[in-house]
Amino acid sequence: FLARPVYRMKIPLESDTLYGYTFRPNATGTVESKCYRSEFTANSLGFHDSEPPQSTATELLLLGDSIIEAMQVPQSQTTAAYIRASTPVDVVALGHSSAGTFTAKQAYMKYRGDTPPKAVVLFFTLSDDFQDNSCDYGMRTWCGRYGHNGSIVVENNTGSTPTRHLRNAVLNNCLTCTALYVSMRNIDTYAWLLLPPEFGSLFEQRRKDARSLTRRAILDLRNSVQADGGRFLVVLVPRHLGKYDSSAAGLAKALRRSGVPVLDLQPTFSAYVKAHDLGSTGVSFRCDRHWNPIGHYLAAQQVLQRLAQDKVITLNSNTDPQAALQKKPTEILDTKDFTAIYKGGFYIAQQDDV
């Protein structure tokens, strides 16, 4: 049980005014957890994605956190890669661990270029993006809080990067520390066990503020994309194991009421897991919430289907997302990788697979 790290990343980093840190451009590294190890290479921008087009403008931009960063799988099996293989449009993924919506907005403004993307897809992770958007839950790189007059104050905390590195170094090598950190990060859930009842209203207000800040941050990003003439889509990423979260329905309803297109991955994920008896592992790795290649594959097909349906992109002539969603797990993964992920083995994603 103690033989492998909870989570360990080895790759050269450098300071960055947007994220606090990025991977050193074109650097190689590894990420290892208790059930997988992945070798990967960063592109010239410091992201885990293929090299962005130099001569043409980005047509489809994917924004998100570690789900889109996808260091756990080869570049050929990320959501971005599966989308890129099925459409003639240029696709760029800007995924970065712990990046909430306020950070995604800054990324869009930095990387949109002279010719903005024709479409932007924001992958919103329900397990932590609400918290990542609120400064009241701790110092994120970019986060928001409400000022005295009800206006949103956006804060840039990239200066706290050294503290984050120290925190990660401790968490990556201490099981007890990790358990305590996760518990405290979600203290709202357990506050009634630890504190007198009068503190309940404080935590409830903090949750409400985080949800409200999130809605406003998404609308602000949508407005920026539309002002540049682009299309916008929000993709709701379920919690680990695809457990239903009422916050998904609430957020989707609020966004749709404001005219924001929303794609919820939950129904298709759940149906696929049940149909193929994938058990508690679902579409993730069993030791953490990050998607395994099947999760990335299913997400990509749903996004392709929605964007084509809305006439945002065209598909390759041999691409049929609906048919692709009917593939068996062993048609997406080879036998070795399926066994490693779903039969208690250890999954190894090598750079040679890219």
Side-chain angles (χ1 to χ4, degrees):
F1 181 69
L2 296 176
R4 297 192 184 277
V6 177
Y7 188 85
R8 177 179 295 157
M9 181 176 68
K10 295 181 179 180
I11 186 172
L13 304 176
E14 61 180 34
S15 298
D16 181 73
T17 56
L18 171 58
Y19 294 107
Y21 72 92
T22 58
F23 303 135
R24 186 176 298 165
N26 304 312
T28 60
T30 61
V31 59
E32 184 173 355
S33 189
K34 294 188 70 63
C35 63
Y36 62 77
R37 182 173 69 249
S38 175
E39 302 173 359
F40 64 94
T41 299
N43 63 20
S44 63
L45 297 179
F47 293 96
H48 180 226
D49 191 28
S50 61
E51 192 62 21
Q54 301 296 322
S55 58
T56 59
T58 300
E59 296 180 84
L60 179 61
L61 179 64
L62 310 183
L63 299 173
D65 59 8
S66 57
I67 288 291
I68 292 302
E69 188 176 49
M71 293 188 301
Q72 300 75 23
V73 300
Q75 282 184 17
S76 61
Q77 295 178 322
T78 66
T79 301
Y82 284 127
I83 293 175
R84 190 177 291 119
S86 301
T87 177
V89 306
D90 289 317
V91 182
V92 171
L94 302 180
H96 195 284
S97 178
S98 300
T101 312
F102 286 103
T103 305
K105 164 67 180 300
Q106 297 299 320
Y108 173 74
M109 301 302 290
K110 178 177 180 179
Y111 291 105
R112 62 181 175 175
D114 296 332
T115 304
K118 295 180 180 178
V120 174
V121 179
L122 173 69
F123 288 77
F124 185 89
T125 305
L126 291 161
S127 59
D128 51 25
D129 274 0
F130 288 110
Q131 294 178 345
D132 288 339
N133 286 330
S134 174
C135 299
D136 289 338
Y137 280 91
M139 290 190 297
R140 306 299 189 262
T141 49
W142 292 84
C143 57
R145 67 170 76 250
Y146 281 109
H148 295 298
N149 60 355
S151 62
I152 294 179
V153 177
V154 179
E155 298 182 1
N156 177 3
N157 295 304
T158 53
S160 64
T161 300
T163 303
R164 293 178 65 198
H165 288 333
L166 177 61
R167 180 202 69 184
N168 290 339
V170 173
L171 296 180
N172 291 347
N173 295 280
C174 173
L175 291 173
T176 303
C177 300
T178 301
L180 288 173
Y181 173 74
V182 172
S183 297
M184 294 305 294
R185 180 175 164 85
N186 298 287
I187 193 172
D188 287 14
T189 305
Y190 309 106
W192 63 277
L193 292 172
L194 306 172
L195 300 170
E198 55 265 28
F199 282 86
S201 59
L202 172 65
F203 290 114
E204 178 58 29
Q205 185 59 49
R206 190 165 71 165
R207 284 195 295 270
K208 288 181 178 179
D209 286 350
R211 292 193 291 266
S212 176
L213 286 164
T214 291
R215 290 193 295 271
R216 293 179 64 172
I218 292 175
L219 292 178
D220 183 47
L221 175 56
R222 185 276 308 267
N223 292 342
S224 294
V225 173
Q226 287 188 342
D228 289 334
R231 304 282 293 275
F232 185 64
L233 173 68
V234 173
V235 176
L236 299 182
V237 177
R239 292 175 181 266
H240 180 48
L241 305 183
K243 293 181 179 178
Y244 176 76
D245 185 347
S246 60
S247 62
L251 179 61
K253 182 178 180 180
L255 292 176
R256 287 171 178 143
R257 192 164 52 234
S258 298
V260 178
V262 177
L263 171 62
D264 187 356
L265 301 178
Q266 170 71 44
T268 297
F269 275 9
S270 295
Y272 191 90
V273 169
K274 182 177 181 180
H276 298 284
D277 195 24
L278 297 182
S280 60
T281 301
V283 299
S284 304
F285 289 100
R286 65 181 183 276
C287 56
D288 69 20
R289 69 173 178 81
H290 295 101
W291 290 339
N292 65 43
I294 289 180
H296 286 283
Y297 180 85
L298 297 179
Q301 302 312 315
Q302 293 181 75
V303 171
L304 285 164
Q305 188 174 44
R306 177 60 181 269
L307 293 178
Q309 173 188 312
D310 293 348
K311 302 186 184 308
V312 176
I313 63 172
T314 57
L315 302 178
N316 295 336
S317 59
N318 61 344
T319 296
D320 183 350
Q322 188 57 44
L325 288 170
Q326 307 308 312
K327 281 189 174 183
K328 298 177 181 179
T330 49
E331 295 177 288
I332 302 171
L333 293 172
D334 62 29
T335 302
K336 173 176 66 69
D337 289 345
F338 181 84
T339 299
I341 294 172
Y342 289 100
K343 303 297 182 180
F346 187 76
Y347 173 77
I348 299 177
Q350 295 180 329
Q351 183 64 22
D352 292 340
D353 294 338
V354 177

